[in-house]
């Protein structure tokens, strides 16, 4: 287990390798689909570990709003997870990079952090949104994700702690490299 850290004002951004369902942050973010139907990847893991309460709330939300567009986010309880809240967001499906994918991906992180602040979460865990089934290249997604989060933390100064849970070595390395680059730019 290795970790990396960047201070953003009074907030801290951390990279960790591991399973987000074990995160003890106040909220965890789910890389969901527009129907909040559950699926594989991190979505499947969150619903398996959190139990059926989370899906019941997702169904209720979809009955109210129809579908959740890419870049948007909604909140449910955490069920049996250690986290009290799950923030479900829908990343863009990679289509080559000219279909506003970067804007939509950045919006996932911003809207999720907005919801976290609304619920007074002091700590939030993110997965690497869109880089699994949705096919967003890791080397391009990592800087978009980290820039969106650091810019938002700089403006809002909350939540205190944001952790990226990177599941595999490849994801962890891509984010560690992007964070190093971002830190170097911030220093200059
Ligand atoms: N903890 C942290 N990260 C995880 C976990 C976990 N338990 N399980 C998988 N991941 C990682 C994947 O390895 C990948 O790096 O999350 C990243 C995002 O991959 P996906 O879960 O496939 O998410 P995404 O690319 O956004 O695709 C969303 O997949 O499962 C479906 O319902 C979901 O349709 C939606 C689509």
């Amino acid at each position: 287990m290795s970790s990396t850290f960047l201070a953003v004002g009074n907030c801290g951004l951390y990279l960790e390798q591991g399973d987000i369902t074990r995160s003890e942050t106040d909220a965890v973010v789910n890389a969901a689909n527009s129907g909040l139907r559950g699926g594989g990847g991190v979505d499947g893991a969150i619903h398996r570990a959190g139990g059926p309460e989370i899906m019941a709330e997702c169904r209720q939300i979809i009955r109210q709003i129809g579908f959740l567009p890419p870049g948007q986010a909604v909140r449910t309880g955490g069920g049996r997870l250690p986290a009290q809240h799950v923030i479900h967001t829908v990343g863009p499906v990679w289509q080559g990079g000219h279909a506003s994918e970067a804007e939509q991906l950045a919006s996932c992180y911003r809207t999720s952090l907005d919801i976290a602040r609304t619920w007074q979460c002091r700590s939030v865990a993110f997965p690497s949104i869109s880089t699994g089934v949705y096919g967003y290249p890791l080397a391009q997604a990592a800087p978009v994700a980290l820039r969106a989060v650091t810019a938002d933390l700089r403006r809002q100064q909350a939540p205190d702690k944001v952790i990226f849970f990177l599941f595999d070595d490849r994801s962890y390395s891509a984010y560690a490299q992007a964070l190093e680059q971002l830190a170097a730019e911030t220093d200059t």
Side-chain angles (χ1 to χ4, degrees):
M1 170 87 91
S2 49
S3 81
T4 306
F5 168 74
L6 180 71
V8 186
N10 295 322
C11 310
L13 174 62
Y14 299 78
L15 306 185
E16 284 191 18
Q17 194 166 346
D19 178 356
I20 199 167
T21 64
R22 293 165 180 255
S23 174
E24 295 190 346
T25 47
D26 295 336
V28 297
V29 176
N30 182 19
N33 52 60
S34 282
L36 300 183
R37 289 183 308 274
V42 70
D43 197 2
I46 285 175
H47 282 289
R48 266 195 310 278
E53 267 175 49
I54 301 176
M55 183 52 76
E57 267 193 85
C58 284
R59 290 209 184 95
Q60 205 173 343
I61 291 168
I62 290 300
R63 273 198 292 276
Q64 284 163 7
I65 66 172
F67 76 107
L68 185 67
Q72 298 295 303
V74 293
R75 178 252 171 221
T76 66
R80 294 196 296 257
L81 294 175
Q84 214 186 323
H85 312 273
V86 178
I87 299 170
H88 306 261
T89 188
V90 182
V93 175
W94 181 253
Q95 294 174 60
H98 301 289
S100 305
E101 292 97 325
E103 289 84 345
Q104 286 177 358
L105 186 61
S107 169
C108 288
Y109 290 97
R110 279 196 303 269
T111 55
S112 297
L113 288 170
D114 275 345
I115 291 179
R117 282 187 289 269
T118 302
W119 286 83
Q120 270 134 28
C121 298
R122 299 186 63 181
S123 55
V124 178
F126 281 103
S128 175
I129 298 164
S130 280
T131 62
V133 173
Y134 282 178
Y136 206 122
L138 256 176
Q140 292 175 60
V144 171
L146 294 174
R147 277 174 209 280
V149 169
T150 49
D152 194 75
L153 290 180
R154 207 166 282 127
R155 266 194 311 272
Q156 308 283 351
Q157 289 299 309
D160 297 338
K161 188 171 184 182
V162 172
I163 307 176
F164 277 85
F165 269 84
L166 291 327
F167 204 49
D168 47 67
D169 292 346
R170 250 186 83 237
S171 305
Y172 185 84
S173 307
Y175 277 73
Q177 205 179 328
L179 191 63
E180 212 171 315
Q181 171 80 34
L182 195 59
E185 286 169 22
T186 316
D187 284 349
T188 52

